[in-house]
């Protein structure tokens, strides 16, 4: 294999593709990028078994072939050659990289060792505006679980029916539900997509046009210009948000988003590092008294609000409510409570299609 291409083009492609390289694995080839050169097209492919990313760029192919190169090392090295043309060819010593009068060699693995990945997915699909897609991801994935205790909660549930899209994410302590419209769909779909995959796709798309998502046999695929992203979908039962979301409340408050967020951010500085990031709301007519206490100091703030129902004192994780409040596309927030130990719901005062459910923290006081 031998080809010549611009260092900048190769570097930009590797930066995208290498996101799918495995970082902790006993299968060495999954830490590699498969490089294929045919018909003046260079194809880069990486996969960790769950997420796969393929990128095609133009190259002057002098000898066709393919090989697997250590992903992180290759990406970091080519990133230092963005201002020059580079020539790459396979030799007995590995992959030889020539740039100007300089030469570097990298160890390689046979391309046959790389797992076969079927990129032909077309059975089911739906289309959504790119801007809408990015907005949905930003408003949900932060509620996905981070650990492996319940793997399915590391993904978002996407339900599509009759042009309606409902995306749900939860980690056992908080839940996000966002409703939007699709442009088109092939029928009813219910899939759980890894949050990591959704984040990577969101980084690749701009705000213009539409994005089509293809689904088949437990796999999902999207194509963005010359980049293809493939991902395994999580299998199993996902919690139905309607079963755990209260619809009536004994205490309801309306509050300005900016005032609440600013107060929570200040309180969060003093409790940074605390396990529960605990803040307490004392809700009374005319306002919410927000308090937080730590070894380095105390915060006592008053945020004006409109109260309907009874007074309430409730403790919660400040990060959970702050993240949710910031994600709401409205200047006025509605928060519904039922008791100091029952989940509460945060939404826009005038619905923006999003809902956040948060578990309070039990305290001794």
């Amino acid at each position: 294999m031998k080809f010549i291409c611009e260092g900048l083009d190769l570097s930009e492609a590797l930066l995208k593709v290498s996101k799918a390289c495995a970082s902790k694995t006993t299968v060495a080839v999954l830490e590699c990028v498969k490089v294929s050169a045919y018909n003046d097209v260079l194809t880069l492919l990486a996969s960790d078994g769950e997420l796969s990313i393929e990128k095609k760029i133009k190259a002057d192919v002098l000898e066709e072939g393919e090989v697997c190169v250590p992903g992180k090392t290759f990406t970091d090295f080519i990133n230092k050659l963005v201002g020059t043309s580079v020539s790459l060819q396979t030799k007995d010593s590995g992959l030889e990289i020539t740039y100007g009068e300089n030469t570097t060699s990298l160890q390689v693995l046979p391309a046959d060792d790389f797992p076969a990945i079927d990129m032909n997915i077309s059975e089911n699909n739906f289309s959504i505006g790119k801007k809408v897609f990015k907005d949905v991801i930003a408003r949900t994935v932060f509620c996905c679980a981070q650990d492996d205790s319940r793997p399915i909660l590391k993904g978002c549930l996407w339900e599509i029916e009759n042009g309606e899209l409902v995306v749900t994410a939860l980690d056992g302590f908080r839940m996000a539900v966002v409703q939007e419209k699709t442009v088109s769909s092939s029928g009813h779909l219910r899939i759980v997509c890894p949050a990591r995959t959704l984040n990577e796709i969101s980084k690749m798309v701009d705000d213009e046009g539409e994005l089509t998502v293809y689904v088949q046999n437990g796999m999902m695929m999207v194509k963005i210009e010359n980049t293809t992203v493939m991902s395994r979908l999580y299998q199993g039962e996902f919690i139905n948000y309607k079963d755990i979301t209260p619809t009536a409340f004994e205490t309801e408050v309306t509050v300005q988003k900016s005032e609440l967020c600013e107060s929570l951010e200040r309180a969060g500085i003093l409790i940074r590092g605390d396990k529960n990031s605990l803040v307490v709301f004392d809700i009374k007519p005319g306002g919410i008294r927000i308090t937080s206490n730590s070894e380095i100091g105390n915060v006592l703030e008053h945020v004006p609000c409109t109260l309907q129902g009874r007074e309430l004192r409730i403790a919660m994780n400040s990060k959970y409510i702050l993240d949710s409040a910031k994600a709401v596309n409205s200047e006025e927030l509605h928060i519904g409570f039922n008791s100091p130990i029952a989940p509460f719901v945060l939404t826009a005062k005038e619905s923006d299609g999003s809902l956040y459910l948060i578990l309070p923290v039990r305290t001794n006081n």
Side-chain angles (χ1 to χ4, degrees), residues 14-314:
L14 284 169
L15 285 171
K16 284 185 177 181
V17 169
S18 62
K19 298 291 182 64
C21 289
S23 56
K24 296 179 181 179
T25 178
T26 57
V27 184
V29 75
L30 294 182
E31 297 179 2
C32 292
V33 172
K34 182 180 178 181
V35 181
S36 305
Y38 295 99
N39 300 319
D40 287 338
V41 175
L42 186 66
T43 303
L44 307 173
L45 174 63
S47 176
D48 63 3
E50 177 179 275
L51 174 66
S52 303
I53 303 177
E54 179 188 80
K55 175 75 175 178
K56 296 179 184 291
I57 62 172
K58 292 182 179 180
D60 184 7
V61 178
L62 305 177
E63 295 178 15
E64 296 185 338
E66 51 190 16
V67 71
C68 291
V69 190
K72 187 177 187 309
T73 303
F74 190 36
T75 301
D76 290 346
F77 190 83
I78 296 298
N79 191 42
K80 304 299 182 182
L81 304 175
V82 296
T84 184
S85 178
V86 294
S87 172
L88 298 92
Q89 62 179 323
T90 50
K91 290 189 173 182
D92 293 340
S93 58
L95 180 68
E96 187 176 275
I97 307 169
T98 302
Y99 42 102
E101 298 180 359
N102 308 302
T103 301
T104 297
S105 295
L106 294 178
Q107 295 296 315
V108 297
L109 293 175
D112 291 343
D113 291 352
F114 201 85
I117 299 173
D118 183 8
M119 295 287 187
N120 296 316
I121 290 182
S122 60
E123 185 175 308
N124 301 293
N125 67 81
F126 66 92
S127 295
I128 186 173
K130 290 180 179 179
K131 186 174 182 179
V132 173
F133 179 89
K134 294 179 70 173
D135 183 61
V136 167
I137 302 309
R139 295 162 70 191
T140 55
V141 293
F142 65 86
C143 286
C144 290
Q146 301 297 314
D147 59 64
D148 295 320
S149 59
R150 297 180 66 185
I152 197 168
L153 297 187
K154 294 175 69 177
C156 290
L157 171 65
W158 288 60
E159 297 177 281
I160 298 102
E161 188 168 16
N162 299 325
E164 300 288 336
L165 166 67
V166 180
V167 180
T168 307
L170 72 156
D171 61 7
F173 301 98
R174 54 182 171 171
M175 178 178 71
V177 181
V178 172
Q179 300 181 23
E180 278 290 355
K181 300 280 188 181
T182 59
V183 175
S184 64
S185 67
S186 61
H188 175 67
L189 285 173
R190 181 183 170 90
I191 61 174
V192 182
C193 184
R196 175 186 170 211
T197 298
L198 295 171
N199 275 323
E200 292 302 331
I201 296 172
S202 182
K203 294 174 186 176
M204 295 180 187
V205 299
D206 53 29
D207 291 342
E208 302 298 325
E210 300 171 4
L211 181 72
T212 300
V213 180
Y214 298 91
V215 179
Q216 184 175 327
N217 298 328
M219 300 293 293
M220 185 186 86
M221 180 188 76
V222 300
K223 291 186 176 182
I224 307 160
E225 296 180 348
N226 294 319
T227 303
T228 302
V229 180
M230 291 272 295
S231 178
R232 292 188 181 278
L233 299 172
Y234 291 143
Q235 304 298 319
E237 288 298 317
F238 201 93
I239 294 172
N240 187 337
Y241 76 92
K242 293 181 180 179
D243 293 340
I244 61 173
T245 305
T247 56
F249 306 99
E250 295 185 13
T251 301
E252 298 180 73
V253 299
T254 301
V255 61
Q256 289 293 317
K257 172 181 171 178
S258 59
E259 294 180 350
L260 179 64
C261 289
E262 288 168 5
S263 180
L264 289 169
E265 286 173 342
R266 287 190 290 268
I269 293 173
L270 269 66
I271 54 178
R272 189 181 296 151
D274 287 3
K275 181 180 179 181
N276 291 318
S277 299
L278 190 69
V279 294
V280 177
F281 281 18
D282 275 310
I283 304 169
K284 299 180 182 295
I288 305 172
R289 189 178 72 167
I290 298 178
T291 57
S292 66
N293 303 293
S294 71
E295 294 179 354
I296 62 174
N298 307 311
V299 170
L300 171 58
E301 298 211 5
H302 180 271
V303 176
C305 76
T306 300
L307 170 65
Q308 289 185 313
R310 63 187 182 88
E311 299 178 3
L312 179 69
R313 185 176 189 274
I314 185 170

